[in-house]
DNA sequence: CTGAAAGCGCTTACAG
DNA sequence: CTGAAAGCGCTTACAG
């Protein structure tokens, strides 16, 4: 029926029951005769009925909308790339929609405005250390799930994350297997959980293998290129550079090539995040596939459980997969 | 006051008026005595009153949510890149939020499911020709605004787009000014408005300048590289390649370099979309900045007007800006 | 197992 | 200029 959308009254009338019963059936509350239930379900399906999220929220306090807060610096030329977040967002939307929840894209507004967003809970991606937005949301009584943890909130266990220790070790083992012995970690100066976790894992791994740990930090592409040039021109130049941010790794590969080195042979290069840019590079760049789809889906499920007042298992660790490619083959490529 | 938030009744009681009057004052409706207005405003301020968006929505029948549908192939390795869409999404969310609307990220579901999304209207980015999703949404009575038009719906004027004719001509004039005379258009085989518009503009411009128009199509990065190699090895090799998709342009530049050509001198390369990848390339790649922020903001405003039942001015053309960089400098670079 | 009724917090004709 | 009342579309005690 074109025109206005079906309401619970329409469904009730069509099924020959009261709105109360329709509500019970649709929400799995109370006991309803199986036959009645079927009739209601059929009528609802027939009418294409969808409970108004707004009315629902007003009556029992839920919007059935989950907020998604992406990093604020997205869109700039910093080391954060898009691929991961776009996929997280797409997976979150699909997962939520499957159970009639929806994902609201939250803008970057001040904390006060954030307390009034019409959602049941919020997913914060890559929070900063002591992220103020999380404080504001929690103060407003909204459950919060983070994708990768907030380094300043070690107590907050509602998060979804890669096991950076494990992923980093797998990558380093791979480099080691390809012959690398002087592996430099070229990371970014930001207090993010994944960078910190990766760095710790790297240092531990180096100690275990009695190899010198060398960590260099750079933020902009130019400084990454400069750092790479400096490393390669120095004494004991590295035979491998592991750069967690994918944009860094691409720049490292280019800088190495400009110095006449063959990436994948003379210098191994690897990224801590996978992306089309890494895959399409020449040579393709070995990367850790952190599985953004799984992150997005898990974050939604975790948040839904919290909204429902459950005590879900958390944190949720997402297995990462190493994607070995030409940039770490260890023998001449191209 | 801790505990529950103040309602309009609390304000009414404090100001000694009815909830109706409070509502009038707060929404600027009807006529209210100045003194009464002041009292209400003072009471509202005193109580820290903020109207519940949910109740507000329920009473006047709108969800105040706008759906956003991103291209389905996002996340793959096709020619579509993320930058543009991420920025469109961020700008849309910010614009909507400024007036208490919100942006819902719509998943890629079948058309039937799409008709039931809890939104007042939908923004569809880069629709395919005769996009079935648009039909489903319109059939459900939802207003639709597209970002770039649907080639199969020349009648649908509710869209926001770059003036591809103008942008393309500016770019070609720039290449011409840098000395290019054999400009090839290396595009993708997809029925998208911007690719079609760019191609038509290119052909027209070539005819006007009595230059031969050469159009090559390629979809995957490999085929772009192969096409570039073929062009450069052929008779009358191009002195400039214009690739609308930004991922194409990067591959073209790489393939040219592999053949020993200096990009920006021996071969000029330009992209039809700007992105961090283009900016950070070596040499930086000249691109058309289509201004995704303006697209996102304009789409939201247009959709809001339609939802409000207005007859807004449409379509909305967003001015593009040429970003000349090293890849088209026309003299030796690097 | 089922339904009548109150209520969530606002807006808006409508009547004074 | 102001207010009583109905209504937005649901949910949920409560009573049968």
């Amino acid at each position: 029926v074109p025109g206005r959308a079906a309401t619970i009254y329409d469904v009730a009338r069509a099924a020959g029951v009261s709105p109360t019963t329709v509500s019970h059936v649709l929400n799995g509350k109370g006991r309803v005769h199986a036959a009645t239930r079927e009739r209601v379900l059929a009528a609802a399906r027939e009418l294409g009925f969808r409970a108004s999220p707004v009315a629902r929220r007003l009556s029992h306090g839920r919007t059935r909308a989950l907020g998604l807060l992406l990093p604020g610096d997205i869109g700039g030329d910093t080391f954060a790339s898009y691929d991961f977040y776009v996929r997280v967002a797409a997976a979150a939307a699909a997962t939520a929609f499957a159970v009639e929840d929806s994902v609201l894209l939250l803008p970057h507004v001040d904390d006060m405005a954030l307390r009034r967003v019409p959602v049941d809970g919020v997913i914060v991606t890559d929070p900063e250390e002591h992220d103020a937005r999380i404080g504001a949301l929690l103060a407003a009584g909204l459950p919060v799930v983070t994708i990768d943890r907030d380094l300043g909130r070690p107590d907050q266990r509602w998060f979804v994350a890669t096991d950076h220790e494990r992923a980093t070790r797998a990558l380093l083992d791979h480099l080691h297997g390809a012959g690398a012995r002087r592996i430099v970690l070229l990371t970014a100066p930001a207090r993010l959980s994944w960078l910190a976790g990766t760095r710790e894992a790297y240092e531990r791994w180096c100690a275990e293998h009695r190899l010198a740990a060398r960590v260099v930090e750079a933020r902009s592409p130019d400084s990454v290129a400069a750092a790479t040039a400096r490393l390669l021109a120095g004494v004991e130049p590295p035979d491998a550079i592991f750069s967690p941010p994918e944009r860094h790794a691409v720049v490292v590969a280019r800088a190495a090539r400009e110095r006449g080195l063959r990436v994948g042979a003379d210098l191994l290069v690897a990224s801590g995040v996978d992306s089309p840019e890494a895959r399409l590079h020449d040579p393709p760049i070995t990367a850790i596939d952190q599985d953004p789809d799984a992150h997005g889906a898990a974050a939604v499920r975790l948040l839904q459980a919290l909204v429902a007042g459950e005590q879900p298992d958390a944190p949720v660790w997402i297995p990462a997969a190493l994607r070995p490619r030409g940039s770490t083959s260890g023998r001449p490529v191209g």
Side-chain angles (χ1 to χ4, degrees), chain A residues 254-280:
Chain A
R254 190 165 74 207
R257 183 180 224 173
E258 270 164 19
R259 292 189 62 84
L261 298 184
R262 292 162 306 168
V263 170
D266 305 323
L267 180 73
L268 311 188
V269 175
S271 159
V273 193
D274 200 12
S275 75
E277 280 68 44
R279 289 192 287 278
L280 303 178

Side-chain angles (χ1 to χ4, degrees), chain A residues 45-56:
Chain A
R45 203 176 309 118
E46 164 81 15
L47 294 170
F49 173 75
R50 242 199 128 164
S52 153
V54 173
R56 198 170 232 170

Side-chain angles (χ1 to χ4, degrees), chain A residues 54 57 62-67 102 104 106 113-122 142:
Chain A
V54 173
R57 162 79 185 231
R62 294 214 181 112
T63 54
R64 301 214 60 166
L66 308 176
S102 46
L104 258 183
L106 261 31
L114 212 48
R115 322 174 66 131
R116 303 183 49 218
V117 291
V119 296
D120 294 336
V122 176
L142 289 174

Side-chain angles (χ1 to χ4, degrees), chain A residues 283-329:
Chain A
I285 296 180
T286 294
I288 295 170
D289 181 351
Q290 298 200 29
D291 200 346
D293 297 349
H295 275 77
V300 164
R301 287 200 208 94
L302 182 53
L303 187 53
Q304 286 170 331
L306 290 177
V307 167
E310 298 162 17
Q311 287 288 316
D313 284 340
V316 179
W317 297 104
I318 307 293
L322 183 66
R323 305 286 178 217
R325 304 202 177 99
S327 72
T328 59
S329 60

Side-chain angles (χ1 to χ4, degrees), chain A residues 11-33:
Chain A
V11 177
R13 197 174 317 116
V17 297
S18 73
T20 304
T21 300
V22 175
S23 177
H24 282 330
V25 170
L26 264 24
N27 296 296
K29 304 252 173 163
R31 333 216 122 285
V32 180
H33 206 102

Side-chain angles (χ1 to χ4, degrees), chain A residues 89-104:
Chain A
T95 304
F97 196 79
V99 294
E100 310 234 317
D101 280 359
S102 46
V103 169
L104 258 183

Side-chain angles (χ1 to χ4, degrees), chain A residues 66-305:
Chain A
L66 308 176
L68 177 66
L69 213 35
L70 297 178
D73 57 350
I74 213 163
D77 285 345
T78 65
F79 60 86
S81 52
Y82 305 122
D83 183 72
F84 187 83
Y85 304 110
V86 169
R87 302 188 68 137
V88 162
T95 304
F97 196 79
V99 294
E100 310 234 317
D101 280 359
S102 46
V103 169
L104 258 183
L105 213 51
L106 261 31
H108 299 101
V109 294
D110 63 88
D111 300 341
M112 271 313 289
L114 212 48
R115 322 174 66 131
R116 303 183 49 218
V117 291
V119 296
D120 294 336
V122 176
I123 296 170
V124 178
T125 55
D126 275 345
E128 294 169 15
E129 188 168 18
H130 292 296
D131 202 303
R133 302 168 305 174
I134 295 178
L137 293 166
L138 292 175
L142 289 174
V144 173
V145 164
T146 59
I147 285 188
D148 225 16
R149 56 202 309 187
D150 178 336
L151 282 176
R153 296 175 193 272
D155 47 307
Q156 143 81 309
R157 65 192 189 87
W158 310 121
F159 66 86
V160 175
T162 298
D163 181 343
H164 299 298
E165 171 86 25
R166 196 185 177 94
T168 301
R169 299 181 81 91
L171 175 59
L172 294 172
D173 286 343
H174 167 75
L175 293 176
H176 194 264
R181 292 297 177 275
R182 295 186 306 282
I183 306 172
V184 167
L185 180 74
L186 202 169
T187 185
R191 295 289 297 155
L192 294 174
S193 174
W194 71 286
L195 293 178
T198 299
R199 179 172 183 155
E200 282 164 27
Y202 164 81
E203 285 167 346
R204 210 142 35 212
W205 184 93
C206 286
E208 285 169 20
H209 289 72
R210 299 175 184 264
L211 294 173
R214 281 173 77 187
V215 179
V216 177
E217 289 190 340
R219 175 174 284 277
S220 72
D222 283 351
S223 60
V224 170
T228 304
R230 217 174 303 125
L231 285 167
L232 296 176
V235 291
E236 296 216 335
D239 51 16
I241 295 181
F242 170 32
S243 257
E246 153 266 322
R247 281 203 188 142
H248 275 30
V250 170
V251 173
V252 167
R254 190 165 74 207
R257 183 180 224 173
E258 270 164 19
R259 292 189 62 84
L261 298 184
R262 292 162 306 168
V263 170
D266 305 323
L267 180 73
L268 311 188
V269 175
S271 159
V273 193
D274 200 12
S275 75
E277 280 68 44
R279 289 192 287 278
L280 303 178
H281 195 266
D282 178 36
I285 296 180
T286 294
I288 295 170
D289 181 351
Q290 298 200 29
D291 200 346
D293 297 349
H295 275 77
V300 164
R301 287 200 208 94
L302 182 53
L303 187 53
Q304 286 170 331

